Amino acid sequence: MNNISIIDSLNDAQRLAVSAPNRAMLILAGAGSGKTRVLVHRIGWQIQVEGLSIHNILAVTFTNKAAKEMRGRVEDLLNISAKAMWIGTFHGLAHRLLRRHAKQAKLPDTFQVMDSDDQFRVIKRLVKSLNIDDTKWPPKQVMWFINAQKDEGIRAKHMVESGDVYQRTMLQLYKAYEEICNRSGLVDFAELLLRAHELLRDNEDLLTFYQDRFKQVHVDEFQDTNTIQYAWLRLLTEGKDNLFVVGDDDQSIYGWRGAKIENIYSFQSHYPNHQVIKLEQNYRSTSNILKSANALIANNDARMGKELWTDSGDGELISLYTAFNEQDEAYFVVEKIRKWVSEGGSRQDVAILYRSNAQSRQFEEKLMTTRTPYRVYGGLRFFERMEIKNALAYLRVMSNHHDDASFERVINTPTRGIGTKTIDEIRLLAREQELSLWQAAITLISQGQMTARASNALKIFLNLIKSLGEEANDKELFEKVKLIVEKSGLVELYKKEKGEKGEARIENLEELANAARSFDFDEANEEKLNELDMFLAHAALESGDMQGDDYEDCVQLMTLHSAKGLEFKLVFLVGLEEGLFPSQQSADDVARLEEERRLCYVGITRAMEQLYITHAESRRLYGKETYPRPSRFLKEIPAEFLQEIRIRANVNRPVTASTSRPRTSVQQVGTYKMGQRVSHVKFGEGIVLQMEGEGAQERVQINFQDVGLKWLMLSYAKLQVL
DNA sequence: TCTTCCGCTTTTTTT
DNA sequence: AAGCGGAAGA
């Protein structure tokens, strides 16, 4: 391959970006303008033309999926193996640095990565253990506070205590949380980034080493970086201006989790020699779709300014459908999909995009009844499932006895007679003497002040973990997993669970052993660290692709957020109503409204050929009928690009049908009559209100004069008819 | 210890 | 509506 062919297939702007001299570059890449293409070819250019080795390249993305895709495309372009190239997510790369230099990062070699669920549990427990009212200080909010500080690079020690109760309490919790994490060797997602930043900042030799190594640093989705991520990038490229970032300010939709569009602006002042290149030619959508998107986003004030264009034709107008209610909306969409498929369209090219997950249900129901295969994105991923997290927690405690979060998770799962009281005692002792829960448990046993029963149960648990550790010691990773699954009692626990749920859980546990077997240790670990720890980190950092095993031709259902980066021939943008989209919570904040508008912009620009936008005149929300106004975004799309679809003449508005749900039949004829006055030995006099069940299961609900409503089993309660 | 009931909340999601 | 968490009952 020669120089020409690397840039041969590119348009002028793309070519300019790819072949630019080595200096700070800001590529403003609109939707569908070939952003990944530019990144991949830029890397190719660095290697082919500038003569860099793959070891000199650093490429950062936000998702594992994007990282994987980029690596694959680099390999295809250059026809080489890019295994050794540092392409990864911010978190993945930070993790790699911390493992390599754990000591300098002041972390134990065996530190563990917590996912957000782990973090939440730790914080929840912390709030409780400090006797702080968790209704006034919800753990979720505490977690949000702590993460927000870390995203800004602020440690507890940097914060000055003010008289403010809120700030004081949060700070107290932040401090205590840091202590727990340090003691247990736990690192949450935000900590990975913060710690990696501090590692480079405080170790000059390391920083110089990596600065020299990475001759070119590439960043995807730059508009989504937060403060600490950007600070980390700046450290690595300090004084060298070798930062190549690609982003789109109009697609910044993660402000709510700390992303700073401002980074795009600061980039320009931090790197005065930078060059900006706009990619505005779109290769995805028809002109009508693009013009609508342009018109919509023009209503935002905070933008750098960019207008997408295409040289493909106008295409069809955007269809707007006003539904009676959410049922009708779903009916309309599914009928259109059926038509599309019957005309030879592929279901995979169709997406239904909504603002919030709760909206998926109505579409699922309609798709189900018409037997249209579909797939919903989002939801629990493999490594986030309860049974998997439990098994992993066993592995963690085995690997590190002082991992309090995992210890607590499994100490009584499955139940082994260690109740809240015992656990509270362990926690108390641990807190008082600053021990890990494991150490506290041992101390507690040796003090011999517990009941024999509790002490025995605890001993059994500790011995289980110890003996599992010994037995697993020289075994292969997947055998360790198998051992845990078998001996922990989890399988027995889930066997008892009724229905198919338990079965599925057991299958998942088996799948976990398979995952361990196929875990590519060498790939994930150039540093030859403990295989089990690497596997656990892998589980936290890549919670597993969504059910990727489904190869059937499916209609795609997802939120607008998860649709970013994807494209579909036929797109349905549903629920365009005030309060829903834009969301109620964003209604009175200009900045948040602009983010909602960008979200809408993302939605529109997903469509390649046809776009349907729908809204409903009435919608059942939180169990109540609402009559929302059409979304303001609808008015922002010029009428010339819209065509209104006429409401069908025969409307099947489900007046009573939808509201009447099947009721469980209530046994009307029983021993007692409704309204019958009865008397109970303990509860006194009352009136029979309801009855259900038969024979030994027969129950009555009675409104007692003194104690109010009660359900009583007839076979136990001795009632006297008055 | 396990089950049931009551009341409360309700965006978006990756790592 | 529905799911979740806490509290109370079996």
Side-chain angles (χ1 to χ4, degrees):
Chain A
M1 176 168 297
N2 55 42
N3 305 354
I4 308 297
S5 59
I6 288 266
I7 53 171
D8 216 17
S9 56
L10 306 175
N11 67 31
D12 287 350
Q14 292 173 336
R15 197 172 291 184
L16 223 52
V18 166
S19 62
N22 194 353
R23 63 160 146 172
M25 297 290 294
L26 170 58
I27 314 300
L28 287 176
S33 64
K35 160 176 78 81
T36 311
R37 194 132 195 267
V38 164
L39 271 172
V40 167
H41 284 252
R42 173 70 175 181
I43 293 173
W45 178 268
Q46 295 291 321
I47 291 172
Q48 288 273 316
V49 182
E50 304 286 347
L52 297 191
S53 132
I54 53 168
H55 298 285
N56 299 133
I57 306 280
L58 178 67
V60 199
T61 63
F62 275 84
T63 65
N64 290 301
K65 198 174 146 202
K68 218 168 132 190
E69 188 189 338
M70 204 185 298
R71 190 188 298 278
R73 283 173 66 170
V74 168
E75 289 184 335
D76 288 347
L77 179 70
L78 299 177
N79 204 13
I80 54 164
S81 161
K83 245 190 171 180
M85 183 156 56
W86 280 47
I87 294 185
T89 62
F90 276 103
H91 295 86
L93 295 167
H95 174 248
R96 188 187 261 193
L97 281 174
L98 294 179
R99 285 279 175 216
R100 279 196 157 188
H101 312 291
K103 201 161 275 155
Q104 280 138 302
K106 299 178 193 108
L107 283 171
D109 285 340
T110 59
F111 77 85
Q112 292 291 334
V113 181
M114 283 190 285
D115 68 15
S116 2
D117 180 58
D118 298 330
Q119 188 190 18
F120 180 72
R121 286 159 166 270
V122 169
I123 289 172
K124 201 170 145 189
R125 204 166 358 100
L126 174 67
V127 171
K128 251 195 198 143
S129 79
L130 293 180
N131 276 326
I132 292 172
D133 181 1
D134 63 354
T135 53
K136 232 176 140 193
W137 308 93
K140 249 204 182 126
Q141 219 169 302
V142 178
M143 177 156 118
W144 185 87
F145 176 89
I146 291 176
N147 288 339
Q149 301 310 313
K150 290 190 177 186
D151 285 347
E152 291 296 316
I154 303 167
R155 292 243 176 245
K157 64 178 180 205
H158 298 137
M159 298 177 65
V160 186
E161 201 172 297
S162 71
D164 186 0
V165 192
Y166 174 83
Q167 200 260 9
R168 207 172 52 226
T169 313
M170 286 300 187
L171 183 53
Q172 178 199 2
L173 286 163
Y174 187 9
K175 269 190 185 139
Y177 173 73
E178 277 185 330
E179 276 164 29
I180 291 182
C181 292
N182 288 334
R183 193 170 59 230
S184 310
L186 295 172
V187 174
D188 61 52
F189 287 138
E191 181 75 25
L192 283 171
L193 303 175
L194 178 53
R195 191 76 67 145
H197 176 256
E198 291 170 344
L199 172 73
L200 293 184
R201 187 195 60 195
D202 302 338
N203 293 277
E204 218 185 321
D205 46 334
L206 274 185
L207 179 59
T208 318
F209 172 80
Y210 285 107
Q211 280 174 343
D212 288 346
R213 169 172 178 168
F214 296 125
K215 308 273 190 241
Q216 184 77 197
V217 178
H218 307 80
V219 186
D220 191 13
E221 307 274 18
F222 185 64
Q223 77 283 353
D224 287 337
T225 49
N226 64 29
T227 302
I228 196 73
Q229 287 163 335
Y230 182 44
W232 185 74
L233 292 171
R234 284 187 64 198
L235 265 184
L236 276 173
T237 57
E238 212 167 44
K240 293 195 24 213
D241 280 9
N242 54 341
L243 184 57
F244 186 95
V245 306
V246 180
D248 181 358
D249 53 326
D250 290 333
Q251 290 190 70
S252 159
I253 54 176
Y254 287 110
W256 52 274
R257 67 175 201 216
K260 290 264 184 310
I261 322 190
E262 296 83 18
N263 287 345
I264 294 192
Y265 315 135
S266 339
F267 180 93
Q268 307 191 60
S269 48
H270 288 146
Y271 298 91
N273 289 320
H274 76 281
Q275 188 185 349
V276 178
I277 293 179
K278 289 184 186 176
L279 304 182
E280 295 175 297
Q281 183 175 3
N282 173 292
Y283 295 95
R284 176 185 294 154
S285 314
T286 66
S287 191
N288 280 335
I289 292 171
L290 290 183
K291 283 178 182 161
S292 307
N294 283 335
L296 175 93
I297 200 68
N299 290 286
N300 272 6
D301 284 331
R303 338 176 32 213
M304 306 197 65
K306 197 166 34 41
E307 191 132 324
L308 294 176
W309 60 276
T310 178
D311 55 16
S312 73
D314 286 348
E316 306 202 21
L317 291 175
I318 293 170
S319 304
L320 178 65
Y321 179 68
T322 303
F324 275 105
N325 54 26
E326 73 283 352
Q327 305 263 334
D328 182 40
E329 181 186 45
Y331 178 83
F332 170 79
V333 169
V334 172
E335 279 314 303
K336 286 291 169 202
I337 293 176
R338 277 155 65 90
K339 188 161 165 265
W340 166 270
V341 172
S342 74
E343 286 167 0
S346 151
R347 281 184 286 266
Q348 236 154 341
D349 293 328
V350 182
I352 305 176
L353 307 181
Y354 36 78
R355 175 70 238 263
S356 78
N357 281 309
Q359 287 168 263
S360 78
R361 234 194 69 192
Q362 66 211 59
F363 295 100
E364 288 188 66
E365 279 168 10
K366 285 280 184 293
L367 288 164
M368 209 126 60
T369 52
T370 53
R371 301 180 176 252
T372 312
Y374 66 92
R375 197 174 142 197
V376 186
Y377 283 73
L380 269 196
R381 275 157 317 172
F382 183 72
F383 285 108
E384 289 169 359
R385 290 166 199 276
M386 174 179 73
E387 62 277 16
I388 299 300
K389 298 219 66 166
N390 283 339
L392 292 177
Y394 271 100
L395 286 165
R396 290 195 143 132
V397 178
M398 217 172 76
S399 159
N400 170 15
H401 292 173
H402 309 300
D403 182 336
D404 286 355
S406 301
F407 181 90
E408 192 149 337
R409 179 162 190 130
V410 298
I411 185 168
N412 203 30
T413 312
T415 51
R416 43 173 73 87
I418 305 175
T420 2
K421 219 176 128 225
T422 311
I423 297 177
D424 278 345
E425 267 176 67
I426 298 174
R427 267 197 291 244
L428 185 70
L429 187 72
R431 245 188 80 63
E432 280 173 358
Q433 308 200 4
E434 299 200 351
L435 301 170
S436 68
L437 293 177
W438 175 272
Q439 293 165 320
I442 290 175
T443 315
L444 214 55
I445 291 174
S446 66
Q447 285 175 345
Q449 282 168 2
M450 279 186 296
T451 63
R453 205 162 107 194
S455 160
N456 267 335
L458 197 50
K459 269 188 217 157
I460 289 175
F461 173 68
L462 296 179
N463 283 333
L464 172 74
I465 298 298
K466 262 194 259 172
S467 69
L468 280 174
E470 283 158 20
E471 202 175 332
N473 207 0
D474 48 343
K475 285 206 160 77
E476 296 272 332
L477 176 61
F478 83 93
E479 287 178 311
K480 285 183 186 166
V481 174
K482 271 189 160 170
L483 187 77
I484 286 288
V485 168
E486 282 162 19
K487 301 268 171 89
S488 62
L490 286 176
V491 173
E492 287 73 20
L493 175 69
Y494 297 131
K495 265 187 190 153
K496 273 186 243 155
E497 200 170 335
K498 50 202 162 217
E500 287 170 20
K501 241 184 178 166
E503 254 171 71
R505 291 197 200 280
I506 292 169
E507 274 171 33
N508 284 333
L509 287 173
E510 281 162 12
E511 192 51 41
L512 182 64
N514 290 334
R517 194 192 308 245
S518 55
F519 177 59
D520 194 342
F521 183 36
D522 289 331
E523 187 182 342
N525 178 49
E526 346 176 312
E527 295 83 37
K528 297 276 172 274
L529 280 158
N530 179 315
E531 185 174 22
L532 175 58
D533 289 339
M534 289 308 291
F535 180 64
L536 291 170
H538 166 83
L541 286 168
E542 289 182 48
S543 29
D545 285 332
M546 338 249 173
Q547 331 90 315
D549 49 311
D550 204 350
Y551 290 110
E552 209 181 350
D553 181 27
C554 284
V555 173
Q556 319 284 312
L557 276 70
M558 67 189 83
T559 62
L560 286 155
H561 282 88
S562 15
K564 190 163 78 149
L566 306 176
E567 59 182 26
F568 309 92
K569 285 184 183 163
L570 173 60
V571 166
F572 295 89
L573 200 51
V574 303
L576 269 271
E577 294 142 36
E578 286 294 307
L580 193 62
F581 188 25
S583 146
Q584 190 55 56
Q585 277 100 147
S586 307
D588 40 85
D589 181 335
V590 181
R592 297 179 71 175
L593 260 172
E594 294 210 342
E595 182 152 313
E596 297 274 331
R597 190 174 284 111
R598 291 194 291 270
L599 198 51
C600 188
Y601 175 79
V602 166
I604 294 175
T605 52
R606 296 312 95 193
M608 303 164 83
E609 296 173 6
Q610 267 189 68
L611 174 63
Y612 283 88
I613 300 180
T614 65
H615 66 108
E617 290 176 327
S618 108
R619 180 179 299 270
R620 206 157 242 287
L621 214 56
Y622 306 139
K624 272 213 307 262
E625 206 68 41
T626 61
Y627 302 91
R629 306 192 59 78
S631 170
R632 67 193 74 191
F633 300 150
L634 290 176
K635 294 176 210 108
E636 294 172 2
I637 300 175
E640 55 182 305
F641 305 123
L642 288 176
Q643 84 188 118
E644 275 214 55
I645 303 225
R646 295 287 292 278
I647 290 163
R648 294 189 313 282
N650 56 334
V651 173
N652 63 332
R653 188 174 195 173
V655 183
T656 46
S658 74
T659 45
S660 73
R661 51 221 126 81
R663 301 218 59 192
T664 46
S665 65
V666 175
Q667 195 78 18
Q668 296 280 335
V669 195
T671 325
Y672 298 91
K673 275 184 281 188
M674 307 293 169
Q676 174 75 59
R677 286 185 62 79
V678 293
S679 150
H680 182 269
V681 197
K682 201 164 138 200
F683 300 131
E685 284 187 22
I687 294 172
V688 175
L689 295 183
Q690 291 188 68
M691 310 189 60
E692 65 174 34
E694 273 176 285
Q697 297 303 310
E698 191 171 10
R699 306 197 306 157
V700 285
Q701 189 186 38
I702 299 166
N703 186 6
F704 289 103
Q705 276 163 17
D706 298 333
V707 287
L709 287 177
K710 290 271 177 214
W711 275 101
L712 298 173
M713 300 289 284
L714 271 189
S715 44
Y716 292 117
K718 296 231 159 58
L719 289 177
Q720 205 178 351
V721 180
L722 296 177

